[in-house]
Amino acid sequence: MEIIRLKHGEKSISITETLPFSIAILDQIYDGDINLAIDDVKESQVEKDLNVIRTLIETFDNIVTPENYAPIEFEEFLEYLAETELSIKSFKRGTFSGFQDKILLIADRGDYDSAQQFLDLLMEANVDKASVCELKGTIFLESGDEEEGINWLQRALKIDPSLVTAYSFLGQTFYNRGEFDRAASCWEKEIALSPDHLVTYFMLTDAYINGGRMEEALNVLMSLSQRDPDSILTKVEMADLYERMGNIDMRDRVEQEVLGAKPVYINDIEPWAKIQFKYSRFDIVEEEAKRFLEEDPDRPELKMLLIVTHVKKGLCSEAKKLLEDFEDEQVWYYYGKKELFDEYLTEEERRQCGIT
């Protein structure tokens, strides 16, 4: 039904109640490919709307945008389908990429039921079933339904065993449940598919350690160190693992490697500094912390390290100034990292510099 007749110069444009729905179809299902959309919905109201949209696009800017159709919720979407006498299967050549973005937004606001209902429509439309199963699984996990999440992720992997993120989510879920061997199995497969996912090596190491598989954990860290020789965190983790295994000679050897290295990555400086502190190399830590602060002045962990080095050098006024900055702006971080002072400063040093 026509609700507005828009005149622009010689053009007369009929705006119907279903036009917002047709804009949504074009945007979210066809990525703006109007010719492909028209071919799929011939002899329907949506075809008529799409021809109107083509005219609007030729006449105005920014027609195919969410502002011109959002929000269309699940029940409303079904009503539009019924009104236009279409089904989700009518959009045979649609990519549904924007549709999937919409589902993620719905899940982000906590409306998991609606997100799952839209995903069920995608299943009915035969859209990349593996990806849809994976998305259903991750949303079930997000909503707290672990069993359904696991089931759908496993179903996705049966269809497509190369889904790296599915292995990642499953690994984290099993790890959180204390099922360390199952977590390790998932992360092994993730690394096999994406060997550059360096953080997964650390997660796999933790799973092995928690499962009592120390030698395998050590092998993972060795492999990571070969892949990324600049990673000091890897060496620190190796030293800690050697100590757990009672191999003090190898722990000391790896710590000597750390002592002779300089951090390349800013996230390595804190574990690197703790090894330096262990051997009273406070000047070296101060030098490196200041170097990194020149590049990124807002890193609180670097300032915490400087507080330790200032106290060790008897520079209590400088240490107190940094502490005042934490009290004014980042007191939460100070208390979260306070154990650094308890470990590396004596009670007398803390008292003299007002560190409580």
Side-chain angles (χ1 to χ4, degrees), residues 38-291:
I38 288 173
D39 283 344
D40 275 353
V41 297
K42 284 189 178 302
E43 299 181 4
S44 71
Q45 177 59 45
V46 172
E47 181 193 9
K48 296 175 185 176
D49 288 339
L50 289 170
N51 283 314
V52 171
I53 293 168
R54 192 198 300 275
T55 301
L56 290 171
I57 290 170
E58 293 168 354
T59 308
F60 303 101
D61 293 329
N62 300 321
I63 295 300
V64 186
T65 66
E67 290 79 4
N68 289 329
Y69 62 79
I72 296 178
E73 303 300 340
F74 181 72
E75 293 299 331
E76 188 180 8
F77 187 84
L78 293 184
E79 290 171 6
Y80 272 127
L81 282 177
E83 184 176 348
T84 56
E85 299 182 340
L86 295 172
S87 74
I88 198 71
K89 293 180 180 179
S90 301
F91 315 119
K92 298 180 182 65
R93 287 172 287 181
T95 65
F96 288 85
S97 60
F99 208 72
Q100 294 181 61
D101 292 340
K102 174 186 177 68
I103 291 167
L104 290 173
L105 289 173
I106 292 171
D108 285 344
R109 72 182 191 219
D111 188 357
Y112 302 115
D113 288 342
S114 291
Q116 293 291 2
Q117 287 173 321
F118 272 117
L119 282 168
D120 289 339
L121 280 180
L122 291 186
M123 291 288 286
E124 187 181 340
N126 291 318
V127 175
D128 189 358
K129 283 192 178 294
S131 295
V132 175
C133 290
E134 181 183 25
L135 192 50
K136 282 183 73 69
T138 57
I139 290 175
F140 273 123
L141 290 179
E142 187 179 331
S143 69
D145 192 339
E146 285 188 354
E147 292 304 327
E148 278 297 299
I150 290 169
N151 288 338
W152 280 99
L153 288 173
Q154 290 176 333
R155 184 172 171 180
L157 288 167
K158 283 182 181 178
I159 300 169
D160 183 357
S162 68
L163 293 174
V164 173
T165 52
Y167 288 120
S168 180
F169 281 120
L170 276 175
Q172 190 63 62
T173 303
F174 289 135
Y175 184 90
N176 293 341
R177 288 157 60 113
E179 299 178 38
F180 302 117
D181 287 342
R182 295 182 77 183
S185 177
C186 292
W187 286 331
E188 287 165 358
K189 291 169 184 172
E190 181 186 350
I191 287 173
L193 290 167
S194 294
D196 292 330
H197 284 192
L198 301 186
V199 69
T200 309
Y201 290 78
F202 291 111
M203 295 159 68
L204 178 58
T205 299
D206 282 345
Y208 281 147
I209 291 172
N210 280 288
R213 300 160 67 177
M214 299 299 188
E215 289 292 342
E216 288 170 278
L218 186 60
N219 288 338
V220 172
L221 291 174
M222 288 178 173
S223 175
L224 178 57
S225 188
Q226 291 173 354
R227 180 168 289 277
D228 185 10
D230 291 328
S231 174
I232 290 176
L233 177 59
T234 304
K235 289 185 171 63
V236 172
E237 293 282 334
M238 286 174 64
D240 180 66
L241 186 52
Y242 276 125
E243 183 169 335
R244 291 193 198 195
M245 297 169 71
N247 192 337
I248 304 305
D249 287 342
M250 284 303 301
R251 180 206 65 185
D252 292 345
R253 183 180 300 181
V254 175
E255 285 187 351
Q256 289 301 315
E257 291 180 23
V258 174
L259 289 173
K262 287 194 175 182
V264 173
Y265 310 125
I266 196 165
N267 290 330
D268 277 356
I269 192 167
E270 187 174 352
W272 170 84
K274 288 181 178 180
I275 299 295
Q276 304 294 331
F277 285 161
K278 181 178 176 180
Y279 292 86
S280 300
R281 294 161 62 95
F282 301 106
D283 287 340
I284 291 174
V285 172
E286 181 172 333
E287 178 184 333
E288 287 302 299
K290 287 180 176 179
R291 179 172 69 85

